[in-house]
């Protein structure tokens, strides 16, 4: 290899320097300070490029510390003293890298380490200001090992790496496919790879879009043992190679590339040396090639999420007796599990078959698989009874998921399982004896989850429950008939993040102290009573306590419950919402309906500023609906029905932007109401009603007109203003709320005619206009006639209505006069001024003034002065006479 010019340059400096000359560059330095000074300088320069080192991993890299070979992570050659290795991998696991990551950039000084063979900087934040993989790394011609995985690089992979002619190992993978700002390492030409004598190549999540000849390139690297190209955007895998050179290939990871061609046409089937084959989510389809049967060394097979035909039936015929991991999830496979599963795959450690349509029983032969650690058969149609025989020899089992099948579990009383599970999911399995499984008492290692939801348990919650599962993060025993009370020892479950006890028969009070680690807590649909404790759980995101018998006042600590979802509906809560001194921005869903809460709405609306769903229905709230409600732009579902609210409707309802348009941004429920566990959606709350964009203000004492602005809320699906004392006309443009499915404005004092535009509401499935003072000819066409057939009472109690479909002919008197309606169509909207006047002036709610205004079209304006929060805010609203005339009088 030609000496690089900078080496020569360094040699010259060294030769010219009297201090260094005596030592000589290539002589092995004496015991103390055994380190080449130039390399020491290069390392110190490298350290200067590191601007962050929170764990002090480079603390030993000091000017004063002569022997750089003793610095942590530095390896020198015993013979020459040259630095040959930098082992600087971030030791943290992939989930939390930041505490130990080096931050900064890779200094070009590293190229002075000419003898460097091994460079591992993985999982550090050393992508520097440019975030590009440095081209100068291509100068480290002695490198055998280069690991840059998990460094947040993006942009082009420099082809200069093709100069590393001794490289055996190259890892450029990202940890996830989400690089900074959604970008990736990318390359449009990887032909330089074929210069390298690689055994290991990992470019998982690099973007190699459109590289058609990638298989030809890798086929030029016959030394390859491991080839990982997960999620690289590769276009296909059906290249026809004249000859397969990859006779050493043991691991091939191609998951996540959308190949979309028959499985059998892939180029790699002749590599019978393969031990690991990952083809998940590749859209490969069709029959399995016979070659699969010849891959007798296979240890791992991942065909999850593809469209292959039923390999579950073919596989057992192949001699895959070394198979350790079989992953065939989410494939819609039908059929039975192999009867002699314990003999077919005797070495099996991982069996993941969730999300298929497998039927029949689980063969008891599975109990032989003494090396099994992980069984996931969830979300199939398996049936039959599983007994202790199925588990007889499963000594190493740690993950067991049988949920969402029709399986029954029946073990002998006193049975002691051979395993110590970390995850046990029996959701919707049926415990044949309806008892709480006593054998679970031995499972003190449960760490991830215990799920017994919907398991037909009709029993007391055992005393040992909360002490046995002390390490658990998720406990779910919802949907059973479990009796008993919540013990104070709940407090000590300091690992618990999700606790689901809903839909049982639990009684007693909620303990005063709950684990502060909780993020989801669901006690809903039980018989819990007593007051709500004054707890604060810092990271609680979901709190479900609805349908219990909780009484008393809301605790002051509710101001600290910065959850996404608070559902306390259907209890016996009373009193006013406590005074919170700062807004709570995180709560998106506040559900308090069907309690006995009282007071005014201002308090709540000022506290919860980012609501998407607000349900306060059927309480005892009084006062007006404050105009400030229209400032909650994210609100998509509002239910204030069944209170004692008075005053008029807020005028600026059109500000509720999440109720506009066919796709309101705010619909919450994917993120907020559901969690995804292994691809299965699980609901905490009955969300269906809250999915609907809706305003329900029915059964209050609201007065005044329906503001025209409401018709701009064209995302509304449900509008219910019934059982109030609203006056004036139905807004002319009601037909522009084109998504309306249900409209109820019955039992008010509305007058005037029914707007013709109503017939434009093609989705309308329910309409009630009864018991108002509506007059004139009933419009026809569209949905209206069908709706009448379904609900012949929908026009009842309006003496002035006539025409089809009711049996009253229209006389000429009852025909309306349209002339004065057109006139002021161009009028400007309601103007509103807010004053922070501290004037005490209670009592006079309405005052009408005639004012000359500057613009001609506004001839008369009036002040609407209404008291909102006793002395706090007075709102003056100027409305043109035309609007007054049109909306509030007939
Ligand atoms: C170099 O020295 C270290 C520590 O004394 C020793 O573990 C290692 O085996 C030596 N390497 C060689 C190649 O002699
Ligand atoms: C590679 O990434 C860089 C930086 O994100 C981008 O500018 C460039 O367009 C990408 N090239 C390809 C081929 O995607
Ligand atoms: C590998 O096979 C190809 C044919 O696909 C052939 O042209 C090439 O010379 C072979 N390369 C090596 C390094 O064996
Ligand atoms: C794969 O093996 C078959 C049968 O052994 C052979 O006919 C075919 O040429 C091989 N294909 C490649 C690409 O090596
Ligand atoms: C699963 O298979 C059934 C019957 O073959 C088919 O109706 C259904 O659409 C399939 N589902 C998926 C997700 O492919
Ligand atoms: C189970 O694993 C052990 C050690 O990992 C191994 O020695 C043994 O052969 C395996 N058993 C089977 C049946 O493969
Ligand atoms: C919680 O654990 C502590 C320490 O082990 C213990 O003293 C306390 O009694 C426990 N609390 C309850 C309510 O069991
Ligand atoms: C509704 O308004 C009318 C007329 O303004 C009034 O007579 C009646 O008492 C009001 N009803 C209620 C329940 O407020
Ligand atoms: C009904 O809708 C049509 C088309 O969307 C529109 O042209 C028409 O003006 C509407 N009619 C009324 C009365 O709003």
């Amino acid at each position: 290899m030609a000496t690089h010019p900078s080496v020569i340059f360094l040699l010259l400096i060294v030769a010219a320097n009297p201090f260094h000359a005596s030592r000589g560059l290539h002589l092995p330095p004496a015991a103390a300070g055994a380190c080449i000074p130039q390399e020491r300088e290069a390392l110190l320069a490298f350290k200067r490029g590191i601007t962050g080192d929170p764990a002090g991993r480079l603390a030993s890299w000091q000017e004063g510390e002569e022997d750089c070979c003793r610095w942590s992570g530095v390896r020198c050659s015993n013979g020459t003293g040259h630095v040959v290795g930098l082992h600087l991998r971030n030791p943290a696991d992939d989930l939390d890298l930041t505490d130990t990551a080096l931050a900064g950039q890779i200094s070009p000084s590293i190229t002075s380490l000419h003898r460097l063979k091994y460079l591992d900087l993985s999982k550090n934040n050393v992508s520097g200001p440019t975030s590009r993989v440095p081209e100068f790394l291509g100068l480290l011609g002695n490198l055998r090992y280069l690991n840059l995985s998990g460094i947040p690089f993006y942009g082009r992979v420099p082809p200069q790496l093709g100069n590393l002619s001794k490289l055996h190992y190259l890892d450029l993978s990202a940890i996830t496919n989400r690089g900074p700002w959604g970008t990736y390492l990318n390359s449009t030409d990887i032909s330089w790879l074929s210069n390298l004598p690689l055994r290991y190549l990992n470019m998982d999540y690099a973007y190699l879009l459109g590289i058609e000849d990638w298989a030809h390139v890798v086929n030029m690297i016959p030394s390859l043992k491991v080839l990982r190209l997960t999620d690289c955007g590769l276009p296909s895998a059906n290249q026809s190679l004249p000859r397969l050179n990859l006779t050493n290939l043991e691991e091939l990871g191609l998951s996540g590339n959308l190949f979309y061609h028959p499985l059998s046409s892939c180029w790699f089937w002749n590599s019978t040396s393969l031990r690991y084959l990952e083809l998940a989510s590749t859209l490969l389809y069709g029959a399995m090639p016979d070659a699969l049967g010849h891959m007798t060394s296979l240890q791992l097979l991942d065909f999850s999420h593809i469209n292959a035909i039923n390999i579950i039936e073919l596989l057992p015929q192949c001699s895959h007796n070394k198979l350790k991991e079989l992953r065939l999830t989410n494939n819609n496979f039908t059929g039975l599990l192999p009867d002699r599963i314990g003999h077919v795959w005797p070495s099996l450690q991982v069996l993941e078959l969730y999300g298929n349509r497998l039927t029949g029983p689980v063969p008891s032969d599975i109990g032989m698989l003494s090396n099994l650690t992980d069984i996931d058969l969830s979300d199939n149609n398996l049936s039959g009874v599983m007994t202790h025989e199925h588990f007889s020899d499963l000594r190493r089992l740690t993950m067991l998921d049988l949920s969402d099948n029709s399986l029954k579990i029946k073990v002998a009383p006193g049975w002691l399982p051979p395993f110590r599970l970390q995850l046990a999911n029996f959701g919707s399995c049926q415990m044949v004896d309806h008892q709480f499984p006593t054998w679970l008492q031995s499972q003190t290692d449960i760490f991830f989850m215990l799920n017994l939801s919907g398991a037909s348990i009709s029993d007391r919650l055992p005393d040992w429950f909360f002490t046995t599962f002390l390490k658990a993060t998720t406990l779910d025993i919802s949907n059973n008939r479990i009796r008993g009370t919540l013990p104070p020892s709940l407090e000590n479950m300091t690992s618990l993040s999700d606790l689901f006890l809903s839909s049982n028969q639990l009684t007693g009070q909620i303990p005063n102290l709950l684990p502060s680690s909780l993020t989801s807590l669901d006690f809903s649909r039980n018989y819990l009573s007593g007051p709500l404790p004054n707890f604060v759980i810092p990271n609680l995101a979901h709190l479900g306590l609805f349908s219990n018998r909780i009484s008393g006042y809301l605790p002051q600590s509710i101001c600290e419950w910065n959850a996404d979802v608070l559902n306390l509906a259907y209890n016996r809560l009373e009193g006013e919402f406590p005074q919170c001194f700062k807004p709570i921005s995180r709560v998106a869903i506040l559900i308090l309906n069907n309690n006995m809460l009282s007071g005014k709405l201002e308090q709540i609306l000022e506290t919860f500023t980012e609501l998407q769903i607000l349900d306060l229905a059927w309480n005892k709230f009084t006062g007006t609906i404050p105009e400030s409600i229209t400032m909650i732009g994210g609100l998509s579902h509002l239910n204030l029905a069944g209170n004692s609210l008075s005053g008029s409707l807020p005028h600026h309802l059109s500000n509720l932007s999440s109720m506009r348009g066919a796709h309101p941004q705010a619909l919450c429920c994917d993120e907020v109401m559901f969690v995804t566990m292994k691809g299965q959606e699980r609901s905490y709350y009955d969300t269906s009603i809250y999915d609907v964009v809706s305003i329900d203000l029915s059964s209050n004492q609201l007065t005044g007109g329906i503001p025209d602005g409401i018709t701009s809320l064209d995302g509304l699906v449900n509008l219910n203003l019934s059982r109030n004392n609203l006056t004036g006309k139905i807004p002319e443009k009601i037909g522009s709320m084109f998504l309306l499915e249900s409209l109820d404005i019955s039992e008010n004092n509305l007058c005037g005619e029914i707007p013709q535009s109503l017939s434009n509401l093609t989705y309308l499935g329910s309409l009630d206009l009864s018991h108002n003072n509506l007059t004139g000819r009933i419009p026809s066409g569209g949905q209206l006639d069908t709706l009448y057939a379904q609900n012949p009472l929908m026009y009842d109690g309006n003496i002035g209505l006539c025409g089809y479909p009711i049996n009253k002919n229209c006389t000429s008197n009852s025909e309306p006069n349209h002339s004065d309606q057109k006139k002021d169509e161009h009028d400007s909207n309601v103007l509103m001024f807010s004053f922070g006047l501290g004037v005490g002036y209670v009592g006079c709610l309405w005052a009408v003034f005639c004012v000359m205004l500057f613009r001609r079209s506004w001839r008369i304006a009036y002040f609407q002065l209404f008291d909102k929060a006793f002395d706090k805010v007075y709102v003056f609203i100027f409305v043109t006479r035309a609007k007054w005339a049109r909306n509030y009088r007939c």
Side-chain angles (χ1 to χ4, degrees), residues 131-132 152-155 174 176-186 205-207 231:
S131 293
R132 301 303 150 99
F153 285 127
Y154 68 97
T176 70
N177 55 357
R178 263 171 280 132
W181 313 291
T183 50
Y184 313 82
L185 276 181
N186 65 35
Y205 308 115
Y207 202 46
D231 227 333

Side-chain angles (χ1 to χ4, degrees), residues 106 119 121-122 133 137 146-151 153 171-173:
I106 304 173
L119 179 58
L121 297 171
S122 56
V133 177
L137 293 177
L146 177 59
N147 191 342
L148 303 176
S149 69
I151 301 176
F153 285 127
D171 193 342
L172 297 171
S173 62

Side-chain angles (χ1 to χ4, degrees), residues 732-733 735-736 756-760:
E732 203 62 38
K733 292 187 185 152
S736 58
Q756 175 63 38
S757 76
L758 199 63
S759 64
N760 263 13

Side-chain angles (χ1 to χ4, degrees), residues 151-199:
I151 301 176
F153 285 127
Y154 68 97
R156 193 175 73 133
V157 180
Q160 283 82 350
L161 297 183
N163 294 340
L164 302 175
S165 60
K166 296 179 182 169
L167 205 63
H168 292 321
Y169 186 105
L170 178 60
D171 193 342
L172 297 171
S173 62
I175 291 175
T176 70
N177 55 357
R178 263 171 280 132
W181 313 291
T183 50
Y184 313 82
L185 276 181
N186 65 35
S187 188
T188 49
D189 179 5
I190 53 169
S191 56
W192 52 270
L193 280 171
S194 61
N195 303 340
L196 310 179
L198 291 171
R199 291 180 205 145

Side-chain angles (χ1 to χ4, degrees), residues 347-387:
S347 312
L348 212 56
Q349 295 171 4
V350 174
L351 179 63
E352 290 199 344
L353 299 175
Y354 67 84
N356 286 292
R357 292 187 295 132
L358 301 174
T359 50
V362 179
S364 59
D365 204 42
I366 200 170
M368 287 178 54
L369 294 171
S370 57
N371 280 353
L372 257 187
T373 60
D374 184 346
I375 302 179
D376 191 342
L377 303 177
S378 62
D379 198 9
N380 278 287
N381 298 332
L382 298 167
S383 56
V385 182
M386 289 183 76
T387 69

